[in-house]
Amino acid sequence: MDAEVSERAQTDIERVRVEVYRSYAEQGHPPSRPAIEAATRLSPAEVEHALTTLAETRHVVLDDDGRIIMAHPFASIDLHFSVKGTHTLWWGGCAWDAFAIPHLVPGEHEVLVATTCAACGTPHAYVVGTAEPPAGDEVAHFLVPAAHSWDDVVHTCSNQRIFCTEKCVDDWLAATGNERGSVFDLATLWRLAAHWYEGRLDSPYVRREPSEAKAYFAQVGLKGAFWGLEE
């Protein structure tokens, strides 16, 4: 009986996860608690348990009031990236997430990603599609090493930014007192985003093991201890 209950609970949790992702993908924002209850036919207590479990297992991010604020690559708070599709406007969770959305959402083969340089405030906009990286000489800078990305995931995501040049990165580091993280070009950012979130709109979704994540990072051209890789 306990095994049956556990299996049923896992099924309910997965149903809630899919509903959260479906709402973000189709509407650009997370579903309300009543909407989840209506879609899944679960009780308020069951929905609350599912969301808590999903947060604990890093499928969604809840704020201190229990509101859903992220389900990567989607966000419902401003983390410096807007993503405009044909019919939907999303907040991208970071540079990585913003570039990932067209690869994940069905029918959105190109989106307009808008942001500003974290150092000088210069606006940047890119048509990001699924066929090839966008043009641009700007660079991405990720502050928090991959192994610590979930220590404070909102802090991590808010510091995965695009800069005009490496000089802007250096200026920002000097102004903020932060240490240099990982710097790479837009083509590498696009490759990183392209397949990272595959399957998140499907069910069941199985997250990559750490060894698989490292292999993916190496495959897209990332190097060094920041990514858990050799130089």
Side-chain angles (χ1 to χ4, degrees):
M1 179 64 70
D2 288 344
E4 291 178 5
V5 171
S6 177
E7 183 176 348
R8 186 178 66 200
Q10 289 302 318
T11 299
D12 290 344
I13 291 166
E14 175 63 5
R15 288 167 60 205
V16 171
R17 187 196 70 80
V18 170
E19 183 60 23
V20 170
Y21 270 85
R22 184 202 62 77
S23 179
Y24 264 124
E26 295 179 1
Q27 302 178 51
H29 58 77
S32 65
R33 293 318 201 261
I36 297 173
E37 293 161 19
T40 61
R41 297 179 181 246
L42 296 175
S43 70
E46 289 170 326
V47 168
E48 209 60 45
H49 170 73
L51 288 173
T52 299
T53 302
L54 289 168
E56 291 171 349
T57 52
R58 301 178 178 178
H59 289 285
V60 304
V61 180
L62 306 178
D63 67 10
D64 292 340
D65 295 320
R67 292 173 297 197
I68 304 166
I69 59 170
M70 297 181 74
H72 293 89
F74 308 110
S76 45
I77 56 175
D78 183 359
L79 292 168
H80 313 296
F81 290 85
S82 64
V83 182
K84 177 67 173 68
T86 305
H87 304 291
T88 307
L89 177 65
W90 297 274
W91 289 119
C94 56
W96 183 350
D97 289 351
F99 273 45
I101 287 176
H103 299 277
L104 180 65
V105 178
E108 293 288 359
H109 302 300
E110 286 187 344
V111 298
L112 179 65
V113 174
T115 189
T116 57
C117 174
C120 68
T122 297
H124 296 291
Y126 310 95
V127 175
V128 180
T130 57
E132 59 185 2
D137 296 326
E138 295 78 32
V139 298
H141 174 262
F142 285 17
L143 179 65
V144 181
H148 295 284
S149 60
W150 278 89
D151 293 357
D152 181 344
V153 70
V154 173
H155 171 75
T156 297
C157 291
S158 64
N159 285 286
Q160 295 181 345
R161 301 288 302 274
I162 286 175
F163 293 77
C164 300
T165 62
E166 289 207 38
K167 180 182 183 304
C168 275
V169 174
D170 292 338
D171 291 346
W172 181 81
L173 294 173
T176 60
N178 288 306
E179 295 184 3
R180 188 182 182 91
S182 180
V183 179
F184 45 95
D185 62 16
L186 295 183
T188 302
L189 175 64
W190 182 86
R191 291 194 300 271
L192 173 63
H195 300 290
W196 181 253
Y197 294 114
E198 280 183 347
R200 293 222 171 173
L201 297 181
D202 303 326
S203 186
Y205 170 71
V206 179
R207 182 186 281 111
R208 288 182 179 84
E209 295 294 330
S211 61
E212 295 173 317
K214 289 181 182 180
Y216 181 89
F217 295 152
Q219 179 183 349
V220 302
L222 296 166
K223 301 177 181 178
F226 185 97
W227 299 100
L229 304 169
E230 295 181 0
E231 294 293 344

